[in-house]
């Protein structure tokens, strides 16, 4: 076949694809006889009422803050200068009572938090920050149990393993590093890497262990693929997308594994779609979810494992039905039409029943959406002790009793219900 | 990426067409220049074939999806399931929830001693 004939075939195939996409869009539209709000309101549902003191910030955790007083004369010595390079020097010249010599206060602050993950047992969290460290916290006591200095400082994601013995992280090094928390520390006091998962051709944006499988990890990448890894051997088991058909056509930013059926996971991408994958059959994607008008930064399965939530650069969150692909609900605030800076959704999580959807935004807001009526019932960003910067990540504890938010203000916060709780018991 | 690839394919395709015209015009006369290697033509065909294959696969999966929609329930069925799935699940973050209430939900407000100091957290206090 000549080039000219091939070109004609290409043009015809493109036209067929566009035609089918349009028909699909119209057919889907015709099947949307209601959304969640329409259905819920017709069944008498009204918004949850949350007062401004109901969800309380009960912990603030900031890593690697510190201060030291250094005598001015000492400050000029090269080894002291090296040790405290990059630290902020206070403008005050303080007098230290004990030595009666002039001192300055050097203080250093934690770096932006980029990612967090709760351990499956209830109280521990791993966080990743801009200073190239993973910190493991006991969220109940606010104490750090481990601080891991990473070889590659550009970390974007972290995850706790199912039995809480290991943590994983990944970022601009295009690899995923695994650390065993029970390892002996090396001479410098660092936990050594126990495994490094290499193979991605782009940054690792997100990682999550398969529930109850300590040796199975799923990563998403800027190379447009997701990968299922065998952590014990470091080998790729399956690649989702890339050269295989119906993969994402742009960077993949997030993954969420279905805890009701761990063979299924969903990914969100810069191609404005979310895609459902079956780990037993890597290609093609089981379903593609269209609707967003910007990068899909966050994906999370709904608690019943049959729906999925997404958060996007278009400023909205959406709820999709996993099996049919229907877009069931859009969660979006009205903005002025002149306002070009609609805050983007960076992260989402559902409460354990699914009634609440927590969404973190680039402007520091953290909306609590009532998923049934699509109303914001609380904004954690305006409460006492709220974050002062972008919410970069959030997640719910395994028993659903607390939400942890991480921010570019360099702190993590724990939120729990501190109001009066009314418990309804079933009548027999 | 797709746009850049298609533009390149068009450029390569145009090269092949121009070459063909030159040969027709020059019939009966010796060529005024050395024959151009057909590598560009081959690459153009190869890329076009690959692109057509990808489109064919997409047509196939779009058609499958359309066929599936014929027997797909409308969204109201899924909306009902969303409502039903929430009932009966105790949720610590709701002001009104099904029981049983788990005592551990309130651990965030119990007195916990930090070994770094003497911080205590209590319900209703101002924390930091």
């Amino acid at each position: 076949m000549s080039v000219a004939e091939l070109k004609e075939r290409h043009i015809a195939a493109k036209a067929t694809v566009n035609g089918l996409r349009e028909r699909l869009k119209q057919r889907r539209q015709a099947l949307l006889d209601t959304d969640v709000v329409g259905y819920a309101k017709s069944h008498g549902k009204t918004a949850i009422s949350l007062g401004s003191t109901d969800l309380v910030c009960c912990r603030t955790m900031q890593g690697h803050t510190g201060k030291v007083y250094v005598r001015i004369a000492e400050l000029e010595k090269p080894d002291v200068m090296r040790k405290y390079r990059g630290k902020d020097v206070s403008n005050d010249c303080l007098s230290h009572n004990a030595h009666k010599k002039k001192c300055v206060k050097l203080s250093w602050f934690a770096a932006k938090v980029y990612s967090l993950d709760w351990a499956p047992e209830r109280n521990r969290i791993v966080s990743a920050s801009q200073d190239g460290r993973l910190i493991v916290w006991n969220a109940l006591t606010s104490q750090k149990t481990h601080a891991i200095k990473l070889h590659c400082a550009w970390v974007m994601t972290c995850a706790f393993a199912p039995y809480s013995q290991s943590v994983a992280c990944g970022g601009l090094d295009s690899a995923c590093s695994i650390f065993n928390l029970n390892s002996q520390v090396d001479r410098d006091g660092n936990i050594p890497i126990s495994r490094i998962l290499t193979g991605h051709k782009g940054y690792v944006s997100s990682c999550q262990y398969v529930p109850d499988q300590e040796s199975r990890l799923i990563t998403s990448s800027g190379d447009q693929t997701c990968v299922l890894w065998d952590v014990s051997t470091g080998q790729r088991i399956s690649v989702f997308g890339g050269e295989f058909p119906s993969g994402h056509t742009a960077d993949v930013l997030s993954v969420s594994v279905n805890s009701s059926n761990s063979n299924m996971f969903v990914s969100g991408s810069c191609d404005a779609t979310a895609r459902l994958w079956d780990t037993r059959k890597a290609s093609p994607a089981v379903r593609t979810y269209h609707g967003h008008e910007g990068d899909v930064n966050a994906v999370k399965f709904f608690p019943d494992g049959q729906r999925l939530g997404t958060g996007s650069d278009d400023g909205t969150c959406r709820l999709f039905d996993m099996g049919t692909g229907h877009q069931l609900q859009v969660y979006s605030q009205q903005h002025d039409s002149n306002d070009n800076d609609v805050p983007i959704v960076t992260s989402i999580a559902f409460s354990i029943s699914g009634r609440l959807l927590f969404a973190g935004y680039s402007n520091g807001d953290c909306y609590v959406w009532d998923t049934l009526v699509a109303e914001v019932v609380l904004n954690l960003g305006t409460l006492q002790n709220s974050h002062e910067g972008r919410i970069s990540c959030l997640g719910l504890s395994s028993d659903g009793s607390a939400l942890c938010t991480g921010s570019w203000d360099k702190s993590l916060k724990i939120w729990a219900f501190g109001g009066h709780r009314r418990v309804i018991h079933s009548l027999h | 990426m797709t746009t850049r690839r298609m533009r390149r394919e068009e450029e390569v395709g145009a090269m092949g067409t121009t070459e063909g015209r030159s040969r027709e015009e020059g019939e009966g006369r010796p060529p005024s220049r050395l024959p151009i290697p057909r590598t560009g033509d081959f690459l153009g065909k190869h890329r076009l074939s690959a692109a057509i294959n990808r489109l064919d696969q997409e047509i196939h999966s779009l058609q499958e999806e359309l066929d599936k929609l014929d027997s797909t329930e409308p969204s109201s069925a899924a909306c009902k399931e969303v409502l039903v799935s929430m009932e009966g699940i105790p949720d610590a973050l709701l002001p009104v929830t099904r029981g049983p209430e788990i005592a551990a939900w309130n651990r965030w407000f119990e007195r916990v001693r930090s070994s770094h100091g003497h911080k205590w957290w209590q319900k209703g206090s101002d924390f930091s």
Side-chain angles (χ1 to χ4, degrees):
Chain A
M1 210 178 281
S2 70
V3 166
E5 282 163 335
L6 281 172
K7 280 171 78 174
E8 269 182 37
R9 269 196 64 188
H10 185 270
I11 291 168
K14 201 88 189 87
T16 307
V17 163
N18 289 339
L20 282 170
R21 279 191 188 148
E22 191 52 40
R23 274 177 61 196
L24 206 52
K25 196 172 163 188
Q26 286 171 5
R27 188 80 187 88
R28 281 212 173 274
Q29 196 58 41
L31 285 168
L32 294 183
D33 56 344
T34 185
D35 60 8
V36 170
V37 171
Y39 188 88
K41 284 188 171 167
S42 70
H43 284 73
K45 293 294 178 190
T46 54
I48 295 279
S49 175
L50 273 177
S52 60
T53 54
D54 280 345
L55 282 183
V56 180
C57 171
C58 52
R59 304 286 188 279
T60 296
M61 301 174 311
Q62 202 160 25
H64 299 281
T65 52
K67 60 177 186 283
V68 70
Y69 293 96
V70 179
R71 292 207 296 272
I72 292 175
E74 292 286 303
L75 201 56
E76 285 161 19
K77 291 183 183 171
D79 56 339
V80 174
M81 279 173 67
R82 251 198 312 274
K83 187 176 177 186
Y84 296 115
R85 189 184 301 152
K87 306 289 186 266
D88 294 330
V89 181
S90 68
N91 288 327
D92 313 322
C93 184
L94 305 169
S95 175
H96 195 292
N97 289 334
H99 299 289
K100 297 227 187 304
K101 290 190 197 288
K102 292 285 182 190
C103 295
V104 287
K105 183 172 98 175
L106 298 180
S107 52
W108 56 94
F109 300 96
K112 293 176 182 175
V113 178
Y114 285 154
S115 179
L116 69 90
D117 192 31
W118 286 86
E121 45 77 11
R122 290 176 315 198
N123 296 331
R124 289 202 295 167
I125 294 174
V126 62
S127 65
S129 61
Q130 187 194 27
D131 63 354
R133 280 183 161 80
L134 294 186
I135 298 179
V136 180
W137 307 84
N138 179 324
L140 205 54
T141 61
S142 294
Q143 286 174 9
K144 303 182 195 58
T145 61
H146 300 79
I148 303 171
K149 193 160 160 38
L150 302 172
H151 292 189
C152 172
W154 309 110
V155 62
M156 296 173 74
T157 181
C158 59
F160 236 118
Y163 303 109
S164 307
Q165 306 302 308
S166 295
V167 291
C169 67
L172 291 184
D173 58 351
S174 305
C176 201
S177 303
I178 313 292
F179 297 89
N180 185 324
L181 297 177
N182 301 318
S183 303
Q184 285 251 306
V185 296
D186 62 20
R187 271 186 349 185
D188 300 319
N190 292 321
I191 295 184
I193 290 189
S194 60
R195 181 70 67 197
I196 187 155
L197 308 176
T198 54
H200 273 303
K201 298 186 186 81
Y203 61 88
V204 173
S205 49
S206 183
C207 62
Q208 190 183 347
Y209 279 87
V210 176
D212 300 325
Q213 292 186 52
E214 188 97 0
S215 65
R216 295 284 184 271
L217 180 80
I218 295 178
T219 52
S220 63
S221 172
D223 68 8
Q224 306 184 6
T225 70
C226 297
V227 171
L228 170 67
W229 303 86
D230 181 339
V231 176
S232 51
T233 61
Q235 297 299 309
R236 280 179 291 192
I237 299 172
S238 295
V239 179
F240 305 89
E243 54 203 55
F244 299 109
S246 76
H248 282 295
T249 54
D251 300 18
V252 190
L253 301 178
S254 49
V255 283
S256 173
V257 185
N258 191 333
S259 50
S260 309
N261 176 359
S262 57
N263 291 316
M264 311 299 289
F265 73 93
V266 68
S267 57
S269 166
C270 291
D271 66 12
T273 69
R275 282 172 213 244
L276 179 69
W277 305 91
D278 185 330
T279 57
R280 297 162 297 187
K281 188 183 164 233
S283 168
V286 176
R287 189 135 294 113
T288 301
Y289 306 94
H290 296 277
H292 277 296
E293 292 163 2
D295 299 359
V296 178
N297 300 312
V299 287
K300 212 45 84 67
F301 271 98
F302 195 66
D304 71 355
Q306 298 300 317
R307 263 51 68 175
L308 54 117
T310 53
S312 167
D313 269 10
D314 66 11
T316 71
C317 300
R318 291 174 201 237
L319 186 70
F320 292 92
D321 185 66
M322 183 183 79
T324 59
H326 292 327
Q327 180 180 281
L328 300 180
Q329 190 59 52
V330 181
Y331 301 93
S332 91
Q333 286 280 72
Q334 290 300 325
H335 294 278
D336 298 330
S337 52
N338 294 333
D339 190 355
N340 290 322
D341 280 321
V342 173
I344 70 175
V345 181
T346 61
S347 44
I348 60 167
F350 289 102
S351 70
I352 204 166
S353 66
R355 185 64 195 258
L356 301 177
L357 166 65
F358 298 95
Y361 294 79
S362 49
N363 64 351
D365 281 339
C366 184
Y367 286 168
V368 183
W369 290 94
D370 181 329
T371 48
L372 288 187
V373 296
E375 285 178 30
V376 178
V377 294
L378 201 60
N379 180 2
L380 302 182
T382 57
L383 297 183
Q384 208 172 21
N385 296 320
S386 60
H387 283 294
E388 290 163 2
R390 170 190 285 235
I391 308 291
S392 53
C393 49
L394 48 80
L396 221 62
S397 64
S398 57
D399 67 347
S401 65
L403 173 78
C404 182
T405 50
S407 169
W408 282 10
D409 76 356
K410 305 164 187 176
S411 70
L412 295 145
K413 288 181 186 285
I414 307 287
W415 307 82
F417 187 84
H420 173 71
R421 184 186 286 123
R422 191 157 75 88
V423 178
I424 302 169
H425 296 280
S426 309
L427 298 169
H428 293 288
Chain B
M1 197 160 94
T2 310
T3 312
R4 281 203 295 277
R5 192 187 295 143
M6 280 178 67
R7 243 187 273 132
R8 178 76 189 112
E9 285 163 352
E10 279 166 15
E11 282 165 14
V12 165
M15 267 173 63
T17 314
T18 312
E19 188 194 316
R21 270 209 302 277
S22 303
R23 276 204 298 279
E24 281 163 23
E25 285 164 6
E27 225 171 54
R29 280 187 298 175
S32 55
R33 53 197 161 103
L34 288 169
I36 298 161
R38 299 187 72 84
T39 326
D41 200 22
F42 171 75
L43 281 175
K45 275 190 186 176
H46 179 70
R47 284 190 187 134
L48 274 170
S49 295
I52 291 166
N53 279 341
R54 276 192 300 274
L55 286 169
D56 284 343
Q57 280 164 0
E58 195 174 349
I59 288 168
H60 180 72
S61 63
L62 285 169
Q63 193 60 62
E64 268 190 351
E65 199 178 333
L66 256 177
D67 293 340
K68 253 188 228 163
L69 283 182
D70 287 340
S71 54
T72 296
E73 285 184 310
S75 57
S76 48
C79 292
K80 179 179 177 183
E81 286 175 8
V82 167
L83 213 65
V84 166
S85 75
M86 292 177 189
E87 288 164 8
I89 307 232
D91 190 332
L93 298 176
L94 292 178
V96 181
T97 182
R98 288 266 168 211
E101 185 174 9
I102 314 283
W105 287 355
N106 298 319
R107 65 188 183 281
W108 305 103
F109 300 101
E110 284 157 16
R111 292 164 85 85
V112 175
R113 192 163 202 149
S114 158
S115 64
H116 280 189
H118 300 284
K119 283 203 172 147
W120 300 86
W121 290 274
Q122 280 180 295
K123 214 170 195 176
S125 302
D126 190 354
F127 313 106
S128 67

